[in-house]
Amino acid sequence: MLPGDVGQVFFASSGSEAVESALKLARQYYHFKGEPRRFKFIARRGAYHGQTMGALSILGSAHPMRPVMEPGVPGAVFVDPPYCYRCPWNQSYPGCDLLCAETVKTVIEFEMPDLVAGVIGEPIMQGYGALSFPKEYWARVREICDQHGVLLIVDEVITGFGRTGSWFATEEIGVLPDIITMAKGITSGYMPLSAAACRPKVTECMPMFLHLHTWGSHPVACAAGLKNLEIIKREGLVARSREMGAYLLAGLKELERHPVVGEARGTGLWCALDLTADKASRAMFATEDSPAPALVRRARDKGLIIKFMGPALEFAPAADHLHGRG
Ligand SMILES: Cc1ncc(COP(=O)(O)O)c(C=O)c1O
């Protein structure tokens, strides 16, 4: 199922462990390749990659863990994400020269390429609510990584196995990462299972990958994963995620007329309404004024589970026929 030659898989139990494994794969790749000074990872502000120390160190938001847990693992460097609705560079796509991707280049060069091990990112980011990026973004980031011999790690812990209407969001962003992490959808949560998968080039210099977990590759979790993937295939749930996602997004788009709805966006069955206190300036609500918590409670009272994520309300319904429309 994995794209290209991404096919060597290390199984663990949680998304955080998958990310931790990916960071260790990258560090060991450079160690055995004879470039042991490469230790830095470039992540995005707003990113979430989990709670183990390596994953927590690349957490792209300050609250609530970083102030308590700093210092993390050395080497985490952050760049602003492509957030077109509130562009950090005050630009408008497509006339923006893709500054969001170019900043990755500038930062790698400033941090010194021979010290940089990887660029890591969610292909669609949860931080500001189901945030997808300009279509050229990932291709340009891939190109920049190749120019500097830096590994590209795509964190598909949320997006993997159909959430966005493709098996992997990597198919949508149109690049081949060196390492992909995955978790939630691999068993749909029936058993804890996660994985970091890489291209053969990552492991070919290694005598072995120096990493292990007692419950890694647990056979019961793997059996649940195989059965779950068989069901997703048999019931055509990936195509259904795409089809129902388009239906959901079309409905949400109608809400853009509402004074507090700045932007409706989404990919497959992962959608968001980005809320604003002022449509002209696109200002976020101050935490105490945000209508989001009350909306989440009201939805729950009506039997709908949604959540708020930063400035946005997020919708990620099940794709199966019992829970979906019709
Ligand atoms: C993109 C991403 N990576 C990693 C993780 C961490 O996964 P876990 O909570 O299973 O450790 C999450 C969890 O939500 C996630 O969204």
Side-chain angles (χ1 to χ4, degrees), residues 14-17 19 48-51 122 126 155 157-158 183-184:
S14 68
S16 305
E17 287 172 338
V19 169
Y48 184 77
H49 295 294
Q51 290 297 319
E122 300 144 87
Q126 185 168 44
D155 182 355
V157 163
I158 290 188
K184 305 178 193 286

